[in-house]
Short mmCIF file of all heavy atoms in Angstrom, two decimals:
data_model
loop_
_atom_site.label_atom_id
_atom_site.label_comp_id
_atom_site.label_asym_id
_atom_site.label_seq_id
_atom_site.Cartn_x
_atom_site.Cartn_y
_atom_site.Cartn_z
N ALA B 1206 -6.96 -19.60 17.55
CA ALA B 1206 -7.79 -20.07 16.45
C ALA B 1206 -8.19 -21.52 16.65
O ALA B 1206 -7.45 -22.30 17.23
CB ALA B 1206 -7.04 -19.93 15.13
N CYS B 1207 -9.37 -21.87 16.15
CA CYS B 1207 -9.79 -23.26 16.17
C CYS B 1207 -9.00 -24.05 15.14
O CYS B 1207 -8.69 -25.20 15.35
CB CYS B 1207 -11.29 -23.36 15.86
SG CYS B 1207 -12.30 -22.64 17.15
N VAL B 1208 -8.70 -23.43 14.02
CA VAL B 1208 -7.89 -24.04 12.99
C VAL B 1208 -6.88 -22.99 12.54
O VAL B 1208 -7.25 -21.87 12.21
CB VAL B 1208 -8.73 -24.47 11.76
CG1 VAL B 1208 -7.84 -24.99 10.65
CG2 VAL B 1208 -9.77 -25.51 12.14
N ALA B 1209 -5.61 -23.32 12.58
CA ALA B 1209 -4.56 -22.41 12.12
C ALA B 1209 -3.75 -23.14 11.06
O ALA B 1209 -3.24 -24.23 11.29
CB ALA B 1209 -3.66 -21.99 13.27
N ILE B 1210 -3.67 -22.55 9.87
CA ILE B 1210 -2.97 -23.17 8.75
C ILE B 1210 -1.85 -22.23 8.31
O ILE B 1210 -2.07 -21.05 8.10
CB ILE B 1210 -3.94 -23.42 7.58
CG1 ILE B 1210 -5.03 -24.39 8.01
CG2 ILE B 1210 -3.19 -23.94 6.37
CD1 ILE B 1210 -6.17 -24.49 7.04
N VAL B 1211 -0.66 -22.77 8.19
CA VAL B 1211 0.49 -22.04 7.67
C VAL B 1211 0.86 -22.71 6.35
O VAL B 1211 0.94 -23.94 6.28
CB VAL B 1211 1.68 -22.10 8.66
CG1 VAL B 1211 2.87 -21.36 8.07
CG2 VAL B 1211 1.27 -21.52 10.00
N TYR B 1212 1.08 -21.93 5.32
CA TYR B 1212 1.41 -22.52 4.03
C TYR B 1212 2.55 -21.76 3.36
O TYR B 1212 2.73 -20.58 3.58
CB TYR B 1212 0.18 -22.58 3.12
CG TYR B 1212 -0.46 -21.24 2.86
CD1 TYR B 1212 -0.09 -20.47 1.76
CD2 TYR B 1212 -1.44 -20.73 3.71
CE1 TYR B 1212 -0.67 -19.25 1.51
CE2 TYR B 1212 -2.01 -19.50 3.48
CZ TYR B 1212 -1.63 -18.76 2.38
OH TYR B 1212 -2.19 -17.54 2.15
N ASP B 1213 3.32 -22.50 2.59
CA ASP B 1213 4.43 -21.96 1.82
C ASP B 1213 4.09 -22.21 0.36
O ASP B 1213 4.02 -23.37 -0.07
CB ASP B 1213 5.74 -22.64 2.21
CG ASP B 1213 6.95 -22.01 1.54
OD1 ASP B 1213 6.80 -21.43 0.45
OD2 ASP B 1213 8.05 -22.13 2.10
N ILE B 1214 3.87 -21.16 -0.41
CA ILE B 1214 3.36 -21.33 -1.77
C ILE B 1214 4.38 -21.87 -2.75
O ILE B 1214 4.03 -22.33 -3.83
CB ILE B 1214 2.75 -20.03 -2.33
CG1 ILE B 1214 3.79 -18.93 -2.42
CG2 ILE B 1214 1.56 -19.61 -1.51
CD1 ILE B 1214 3.32 -17.69 -3.16
N ASN B 1215 5.67 -21.85 -2.40
CA ASN B 1215 6.66 -22.34 -3.35
C ASN B 1215 7.61 -23.38 -2.74
O ASN B 1215 8.73 -23.54 -3.18
CB ASN B 1215 7.45 -21.18 -3.97
CG ASN B 1215 8.26 -20.41 -2.95
OD1 ASN B 1215 8.18 -20.68 -1.77
ND2 ASN B 1215 9.02 -19.44 -3.42
N GLY B 1216 7.16 -24.08 -1.73
CA GLY B 1216 7.94 -25.17 -1.15
C GLY B 1216 9.23 -24.69 -0.53
O GLY B 1216 9.26 -23.70 0.19
N ASN B 1217 10.32 -25.39 -0.80
CA ASN B 1217 11.61 -25.07 -0.19
C ASN B 1217 12.34 -23.91 -0.86
O ASN B 1217 13.41 -23.51 -0.41
CB ASN B 1217 12.51 -26.30 -0.19
CG ASN B 1217 12.02 -27.35 0.78
OD1 ASN B 1217 11.42 -27.02 1.79
ND2 ASN B 1217 12.25 -28.61 0.45
N GLN B 1218 11.76 -23.39 -1.94
CA GLN B 1218 12.42 -22.27 -2.61
C GLN B 1218 12.40 -21.03 -1.72
O GLN B 1218 11.49 -20.83 -0.93
CB GLN B 1218 11.72 -21.96 -3.93
CG GLN B 1218 11.82 -23.09 -4.94
CD GLN B 1218 11.04 -22.76 -6.20
OE1 GLN B 1218 10.61 -21.64 -6.42
NE2 GLN B 1218 10.85 -23.77 -7.03
N LYS B 1219 13.38 -20.20 -1.83
CA LYS B 1219 13.48 -18.97 -1.05
C LYS B 1219 12.46 -17.97 -1.56
O LYS B 1219 11.97 -18.12 -2.66
CB LYS B 1219 14.91 -18.42 -1.16
CG LYS B 1219 15.93 -19.42 -0.66
CD LYS B 1219 16.76 -18.83 0.42
CE LYS B 1219 17.82 -19.79 0.87
NZ LYS B 1219 17.59 -20.45 2.08
N PRO B 1220 12.03 -16.97 -0.83
CA PRO B 1220 12.72 -16.45 0.33
C PRO B 1220 12.27 -17.07 1.65
O PRO B 1220 12.88 -16.83 2.68
CB PRO B 1220 12.39 -14.97 0.30
CG PRO B 1220 11.03 -14.90 -0.29
CD PRO B 1220 11.00 -16.02 -1.30
N ASN B 1221 11.17 -17.83 1.67
CA ASN B 1221 10.65 -18.42 2.90
C ASN B 1221 10.44 -17.36 3.98
O ASN B 1221 10.92 -17.47 5.10
CB ASN B 1221 11.57 -19.55 3.41
CG ASN B 1221 11.54 -20.74 2.48
OD1 ASN B 1221 10.52 -21.02 1.86
ND2 ASN B 1221 12.65 -21.44 2.38
N GLU B 1222 9.68 -16.31 3.60
CA GLU B 1222 9.40 -15.22 4.52
C GLU B 1222 7.90 -14.95 4.56
O GLU B 1222 7.22 -14.99 3.54
CB GLU B 1222 10.12 -13.95 4.09
CG GLU B 1222 11.63 -14.02 4.23
CD GLU B 1222 12.31 -12.72 3.82
OE1 GLU B 1222 11.66 -11.64 3.89
OE2 GLU B 1222 13.48 -12.79 3.41
N VAL B 1223 7.43 -14.68 5.77
CA VAL B 1223 6.03 -14.35 5.97
C VAL B 1223 5.69 -13.11 5.15
O VAL B 1223 6.44 -12.14 5.14
CB VAL B 1223 5.74 -14.11 7.46
CG1 VAL B 1223 4.31 -13.64 7.66
CG2 VAL B 1223 6.00 -15.38 8.25
N GLY B 1224 4.58 -13.18 4.45
CA GLY B 1224 4.14 -12.05 3.63
C GLY B 1224 4.66 -12.09 2.22
O GLY B 1224 4.19 -11.37 1.36
N LYS B 1225 5.66 -12.92 1.97
CA LYS B 1225 6.20 -13.06 0.61
C LYS B 1225 5.77 -14.39 0.03
O LYS B 1225 5.05 -14.43 -0.96
CB LYS B 1225 7.71 -12.90 0.60
CG LYS B 1225 8.14 -11.48 0.93
CD LYS B 1225 9.61 -11.27 0.78
CE LYS B 1225 9.96 -9.81 1.07
NZ LYS B 1225 11.39 -9.58 0.99
N ASP B 1226 6.20 -15.50 0.61
CA ASP B 1226 5.78 -16.81 0.13
C ASP B 1226 5.23 -17.70 1.24
O ASP B 1226 4.84 -18.82 0.99
CB ASP B 1226 6.92 -17.52 -0.61
CG ASP B 1226 8.10 -17.86 0.28
OD1 ASP B 1226 8.26 -17.23 1.34
OD2 ASP B 1226 8.87 -18.76 -0.08
N ILE B 1227 5.17 -17.19 2.45
CA ILE B 1227 4.56 -17.92 3.56
C ILE B 1227 3.34 -17.13 4.02
O ILE B 1227 3.42 -15.93 4.25
CB ILE B 1227 5.55 -18.10 4.73
CG1 ILE B 1227 6.71 -19.00 4.29
CG2 ILE B 1227 4.83 -18.72 5.94
CD1 ILE B 1227 7.78 -19.19 5.34
N GLY B 1228 2.21 -17.82 4.13
CA GLY B 1228 0.98 -17.18 4.56
C GLY B 1228 0.32 -17.96 5.67
O GLY B 1228 0.75 -19.05 6.02
N GLU B 1229 -0.73 -17.39 6.20
CA GLU B 1229 -1.48 -18.05 7.26
C GLU B 1229 -2.97 -17.87 7.03
O GLU B 1229 -3.40 -16.91 6.37
CB GLU B 1229 -1.10 -17.49 8.63
CG GLU B 1229 -1.54 -16.05 8.84
CD GLU B 1229 -1.22 -15.53 10.23
OE1 GLU B 1229 -1.42 -16.27 11.20
OE2 GLU B 1229 -0.77 -14.39 10.33
N LEU B 1230 -3.73 -18.79 7.55
CA LEU B 1230 -5.18 -18.71 7.50
C LEU B 1230 -5.70 -19.26 8.80
O LEU B 1230 -5.38 -20.40 9.17
CB LEU B 1230 -5.73 -19.51 6.31
CG LEU B 1230 -7.24 -19.50 6.13
CD1 LEU B 1230 -7.72 -18.07 5.84
CD2 LEU B 1230 -7.65 -20.42 5.01
N ASN B 1231 -6.44 -18.46 9.54
CA ASN B 1231 -7.01 -18.89 10.82
C ASN B 1231 -8.52 -18.95 10.72
O ASN B 1231 -9.13 -18.09 10.09
CB ASN B 1231 -6.63 -17.90 11.93
CG ASN B 1231 -5.15 -17.92 12.22
OD1 ASN B 1231 -4.57 -18.98 12.38
ND2 ASN B 1231 -4.53 -16.75 12.29
N ALA B 1232 -9.11 -19.94 11.34
CA ALA B 1232 -10.56 -20.03 11.46
C ALA B 1232 -10.89 -20.01 12.94
O ALA B 1232 -10.38 -20.82 13.71
CB ALA B 1232 -11.08 -21.30 10.81
N VAL B 1233 -11.72 -19.06 13.34
CA VAL B 1233 -12.05 -18.87 14.74
C VAL B 1233 -13.55 -18.91 14.91
O VAL B 1233 -14.29 -18.32 14.12
CB VAL B 1233 -11.51 -17.50 15.24
CG1 VAL B 1233 -11.83 -17.29 16.71
CG2 VAL B 1233 -10.02 -17.37 14.99
N LEU B 1234 -14.02 -19.60 15.94
CA LEU B 1234 -15.44 -19.58 16.24
C LEU B 1234 -15.83 -18.18 16.66
O LEU B 1234 -15.23 -17.61 17.57
CB LEU B 1234 -15.78 -20.57 17.35
CG LEU B 1234 -15.66 -22.03 16.97
CD1 LEU B 1234 -15.88 -22.92 18.19
CD2 LEU B 1234 -16.64 -22.39 15.88
N GLY B 1235 -16.82 -17.61 16.00
CA GLY B 1235 -17.28 -16.27 16.33
C GLY B 1235 -18.38 -16.29 17.37
O GLY B 1235 -18.95 -17.34 17.68
N ASP B 1236 -18.68 -15.13 17.91
CA ASP B 1236 -19.70 -15.02 18.93
C ASP B 1236 -21.10 -14.90 18.34
O ASP B 1236 -22.08 -15.06 19.03
CB ASP B 1236 -19.44 -13.79 19.81
CG ASP B 1236 -18.17 -13.94 20.61
OD1 ASP B 1236 -17.77 -15.09 20.90
OD2 ASP B 1236 -17.58 -12.90 20.96
N ASP B 1237 -21.21 -14.61 17.06
CA ASP B 1237 -22.51 -14.31 16.47
C ASP B 1237 -22.92 -15.31 15.38
O ASP B 1237 -23.25 -14.93 14.27
CB ASP B 1237 -22.53 -12.89 15.93
CG ASP B 1237 -21.44 -12.64 14.91
OD1 ASP B 1237 -20.58 -13.51 14.72
OD2 ASP B 1237 -21.47 -11.57 14.28
N ASP B 1238 -22.92 -16.57 15.74
CA ASP B 1238 -23.36 -17.62 14.83
C ASP B 1238 -22.54 -17.70 13.55
O ASP B 1238 -23.07 -18.03 12.49
CB ASP B 1238 -24.84 -17.46 14.47
CG ASP B 1238 -25.74 -17.66 15.68
OD1 ASP B 1238 -25.34 -18.44 16.57
OD2 ASP B 1238 -26.81 -17.06 15.73
N CYS B 1239 -21.25 -17.38 13.62
CA CYS B 1239 -20.42 -17.51 12.44
C CYS B 1239 -19.04 -18.02 12.82
O CYS B 1239 -18.65 -18.01 13.98
CB CYS B 1239 -20.33 -16.20 11.67
SG CYS B 1239 -19.35 -14.92 12.43
N ILE B 1240 -18.33 -18.47 11.81
CA ILE B 1240 -16.97 -18.95 11.97
C ILE B 1240 -16.08 -18.04 11.14
O ILE B 1240 -16.28 -17.91 9.93
CB ILE B 1240 -16.84 -20.42 11.53
CG1 ILE B 1240 -17.69 -21.30 12.45
CG2 ILE B 1240 -15.39 -20.87 11.52
CD1 ILE B 1240 -17.80 -22.74 12.02
N GLN B 1241 -15.14 -17.40 11.80
CA GLN B 1241 -14.24 -16.46 11.15
C GLN B 1241 -13.18 -17.24 10.38
O GLN B 1241 -12.49 -18.08 10.93
CB GLN B 1241 -13.57 -15.58 12.19
CG GLN B 1241 -12.80 -14.43 11.63
CD GLN B 1241 -13.68 -13.28 11.17
OE1 GLN B 1241 -14.73 -13.05 11.75
NE2 GLN B 1241 -13.27 -12.58 10.14
N VAL B 1242 -13.08 -16.99 9.07
CA VAL B 1242 -12.07 -17.59 8.21
C VAL B 1242 -11.35 -16.45 7.52
O VAL B 1242 -11.90 -15.83 6.61
CB VAL B 1242 -12.70 -18.55 7.17
CG1 VAL B 1242 -11.64 -19.13 6.27
CG2 VAL B 1242 -13.51 -19.64 7.85
N GLY B 1243 -10.15 -16.14 7.98
CA GLY B 1243 -9.46 -14.96 7.47
C GLY B 1243 -10.29 -13.74 7.79
O GLY B 1243 -10.71 -13.54 8.93
N SER B 1244 -10.59 -12.93 6.79
CA SER B 1244 -11.39 -11.72 7.01
C SER B 1244 -12.88 -11.97 6.82
O SER B 1244 -13.69 -11.08 7.01
CB SER B 1244 -10.94 -10.62 6.06
OG SER B 1244 -11.16 -11.03 4.71
N LEU B 1245 -13.26 -13.20 6.47
CA LEU B 1245 -14.66 -13.54 6.23
C LEU B 1245 -15.27 -14.22 7.45
O LEU B 1245 -14.58 -14.88 8.22
CB LEU B 1245 -14.78 -14.50 5.05
CG LEU B 1245 -14.23 -14.00 3.72
CD1 LEU B 1245 -14.24 -15.13 2.70
CD2 LEU B 1245 -15.04 -12.82 3.22
N CYS B 1246 -16.57 -14.09 7.59
CA CYS B 1246 -17.28 -14.78 8.66
C CYS B 1246 -18.39 -15.60 8.01
O CYS B 1246 -19.35 -15.04 7.46
CB CYS B 1246 -17.84 -13.77 9.64
SG CYS B 1246 -18.22 -14.49 11.24
N PHE B 1247 -18.25 -16.93 8.03
CA PHE B 1247 -19.24 -17.83 7.44
C PHE B 1247 -20.27 -18.24 8.49
O PHE B 1247 -19.90 -18.54 9.63
CB PHE B 1247 -18.58 -19.10 6.90
CG PHE B 1247 -17.87 -18.90 5.60
CD1 PHE B 1247 -16.54 -18.49 5.57
CD2 PHE B 1247 -18.52 -19.11 4.39
CE1 PHE B 1247 -15.88 -18.30 4.37
CE2 PHE B 1247 -17.87 -18.92 3.18
CZ PHE B 1247 -16.55 -18.51 3.18
N ALA B 1248 -21.53 -18.26 8.10
CA ALA B 1248 -22.58 -18.73 9.01
C ALA B 1248 -22.27 -20.15 9.44
O ALA B 1248 -21.75 -20.95 8.67
CB ALA B 1248 -23.93 -18.66 8.31
#
């Protein structure tokens, strides 16, 4: 990814597990005049 963001929605509180309170968001340069942000592709 061109930009990879990892976030924890509740700070140091448990469970600190991916899919529960830890998420990710990637932005990737696309081949067709767009930038992929998660499941979206922005011009």
Side-chain angles (χ1 to χ4, degrees):
C1207 294
V1208 175
I1210 298 169
V1211 179
Y1212 58 92
D1213 186 334
I1214 62 171
N1215 63 356
N1217 290 330
Q1218 296 177 12
K1219 301 236 183 257
N1221 292 328
E1222 292 181 26
V1223 175
K1225 292 186 178 178
D1226 65 338
I1227 295 177
E1229 68 177 318
L1230 181 63
N1231 293 312
V1233 181
L1234 291 174
D1236 294 334
D1237 57 352
D1238 294 330
C1239 73
I1240 296 172
Q1241 190 77 32
V1242 179
S1244 63
L1245 301 172
C1246 200
F1247 283 88

